[in-house]
Amino acid sequence: VSPNPSAGPVTLTINSSVDANAVISIIDISGKVLYKEKVPITKGSNSPALPFTERLNNGIYTVRVNVNEESFVQRFVIAKK
């Protein structure tokens, strides 16, 4: 996830060994899913933008990416002035 912390949109980098569909979820600190989208990814490096993050309030969030049977999780911070 970059940039982290961010004051605006966040971009995700997903490295995949296969063509697949990824399910990307943004989760707040209480565990509520705020955003969920299925995104096609290709073998290699993928960088889907997450424009929804511009609307988030300051705080700590988790992005979860599910690809096939694998799940990847990373926290990021929104810090607007």
Side-chain angles (χ1 to χ4, degrees), residues 29-56:
I29 199 151
S30 71
K32 181 179 177 185
V33 176
L34 304 174
Y35 172 84
K36 189 172 187 177
E37 181 179 4
K38 186 183 281 190
V39 177
I41 58 172
T42 58
K43 184 176 180 177
S45 183
N46 298 264
S47 297
L50 301 175
F52 174 81
T53 54
E54 290 179 355
R55 294 181 270 162
L56 296 175

